[in-house]
Amino acid sequence: MKYIKRKTYLDRLIRLRNIPDIKIITGLRGSGKTKLVRDYMNWIKSNEQDVNIIYISFEDPDYAELKYYKTLNYYCERKYDKEKSNVLIIDEIQLCHQFELTVNSLYNSRKFDIYITGSNAFLLSSDLSTLFTGRYIEIQVYPFSFAEYCRYYDLDIDTPRVLDSYISNGGLAGSYVYKDRDDQLTSIKDVYNTVIKRDLVDKYSIREVSLLDSLTDYLMDNISNLTSASRINAIFKQSGAETNHIKIGNYIKYLCSGFMFYKVKRYDIKGKKYLETQDKYYLSDLGFRYAKPGTRNMDYDRAYENIVAIELLRRNYDLYVGKLYQKEIDFVAMKANEKIYIQVSDNISSEETLKRELEPLMAIRDSYPKILIANTGHEDYEIEGIKVLDLTRWLLTLSSKNSPASLFRRWAELRTML
């Protein structure tokens, strides 16, 4: 299997080295958490002397006897070396009973630089403050981005239909080792089944697995559409399902907790407030959409919007659906003092489509950057202060130093100089 380093995540862990907080690495099964921590261990070994790395993987039978917090605590204390800097890395920590007791104890001892990984619903963002009494920082790992996909397969912007292949193949790199398409789809289905059947069903003692499966199918079919638990419940009841909006709402919450979907709430741009009615749900990896239920008709507008949503989340933006009177802006992306308004479209070659996509952005009266990202196939250009970006180029150039806001600022500065 070809292997590429995930530099963005690795650099972040390097920045966090010796920060006293507990570093918690979370993400979808198959997103690459284990490989990331191994890369990090190799970096520490190559760049530091007098370091003692204590690595425990609870998916390795050699550590089976440590799956109780007292034995885990004893083992870590026994491996501690007072003459060295001690790094403790525990992979798939949820497999240890009452692991939080050991982690909190070791954190309070101030003797270890602690990193832990956990999969899906067993280590939820919403649970972290309850589990860990000490300070912590969460590092969420996503499936391969489009840029990482291109690096893996040695593709570039001139490769025919390169973005379409990413949409159908997805970012679960474990499936890339298979040459046959059916084998790739089976690999992706296996990840899906593990998340749904093993993680969510077991954790939440779900009895109506078929309802959870149907709900997942529905959300996959309706990525980027505004919806609510009440609306979905009404649709399911029309089909004869025995359910209610509370159960549907809980199941949606479980799917989001397992990183299968990401919920994006609405934001009233004029009133500058968050809205509670109707949200959008974006699929963590589009490969699921085509592998699990079978081949679907491509809806490029919604698929592109999904890719942009996950990419913005990957770059640590807080994401909202914008509402301005009766108009909808696909994304309001916020980070620190940045705010960007973003529309996403497929083909804007027709004047009617271009006008429809630009109108919501033109209606916004503040001075924050406004961007239309579309499948243009051209270099960037501007229409009445709105920058129009080609989707493929944007995905390949986006980085921490090339965020939408920073690109917009540099572009504006250049215009002023000219």
Side-chain angles (χ1 to χ4, degrees), residues 278-398:
Q278 295 193 314
D279 307 297
K280 287 189 177 185
Y281 294 90
Y282 293 99
L283 188 58
S284 59
D285 189 81
L286 286 173
F288 288 124
R289 191 167 188 253
Y290 302 101
K292 189 263 170 183
T295 303
R296 298 165 183 256
N297 293 327
M298 286 283 191
D299 184 336
Y300 286 106
D301 269 324
R302 291 196 288 147
Y304 293 159
E305 185 177 325
N306 198 110
I307 286 176
V308 171
I310 300 301
E311 187 65 31
L312 289 166
L313 291 172
R314 186 182 282 114
R315 299 299 174 177
N316 297 315
Y317 281 93
D318 293 325
L319 210 55
Y320 303 93
V321 177
K323 176 184 177 296
L324 184 64
Y325 304 111
Q326 300 305 311
K327 300 181 186 298
E328 180 183 302
I329 290 81
D330 288 334
F331 301 117
V332 182
M334 303 182 189
K335 185 199 298 187
N337 294 324
E338 293 183 23
K339 183 189 289 185
I340 316 149
Y341 301 111
I342 301 172
Q343 286 285 88
V344 182
S345 184
D346 177 12
N347 190 335
I348 56 171
S349 57
S350 76
E351 186 175 339
E352 180 183 356
T353 303
L354 180 61
K355 180 181 177 183
R356 184 186 70 236
E357 297 295 344
L358 290 175
E359 275 185 346
L361 295 174
M362 290 178 173
I364 303 171
R365 298 305 178 191
D366 64 38
S367 59
Y368 289 105
K370 301 167 185 67
I371 299 172
L372 171 58
I373 302 174
N375 196 23
T376 68
H378 301 298
E379 297 291 339
D380 304 343
Y381 60 97
E382 175 196 357
I383 300 177
E384 296 188 33
I386 298 170
K387 193 166 187 186
V388 181
L389 308 180
D390 174 62
L391 175 59
T392 304
R393 288 176 171 80
W394 180 77
L395 289 168
L396 288 176
T397 58
L398 184 63

Side-chain angles (χ1 to χ4, degrees), residues 203-219:
K203 177 178 174 65
Y204 297 108
S205 302
I206 296 173
R207 296 181 178 179
E208 298 173 85
V209 179
S210 60
L211 177 62
L212 179 65
D213 224 24
S214 297
L215 176 61
T216 307
D217 281 353
Y218 178 87
L219 292 175

Side-chain angles (χ1 to χ4, degrees), residues 4-27:
I4 63 170
K5 286 187 177 181
R6 310 192 73 185
K7 190 174 184 303
T8 300
Y9 296 117
L10 182 59
D11 286 348
R12 189 176 181 199
L13 288 176
I14 292 169
R15 291 196 304 271
L16 294 172
R17 174 73 174 105
N18 287 319
I19 299 295
D21 298 348
I22 303 165
K23 275 70 71 173
I24 304 173
I25 303 165
T26 63

Side-chain angles (χ1 to χ4, degrees), residues 220-267:
M220 285 184 182
D221 277 332
N222 287 274
I223 53 173
S224 85
N225 287 342
L226 285 169
T227 192
S228 66
S230 296
R231 176 179 173 80
I232 297 172
N233 179 61
I235 293 171
F236 277 23
K237 280 197 166 184
Q238 288 178 355
S239 303
E242 293 291 330
T243 186
N244 57 70
H245 72 280
I246 296 175
K247 182 179 293 183
I248 293 294
N250 285 334
Y251 283 11
I252 291 174
K253 190 185 302 181
Y254 301 158
L255 287 167
C256 292
S257 75
F259 303 110
M260 183 63 68
F261 293 92
Y262 288 88
K263 175 180 175 178
V264 176
K265 301 180 69 172
R266 290 199 300 160
Y267 176 77

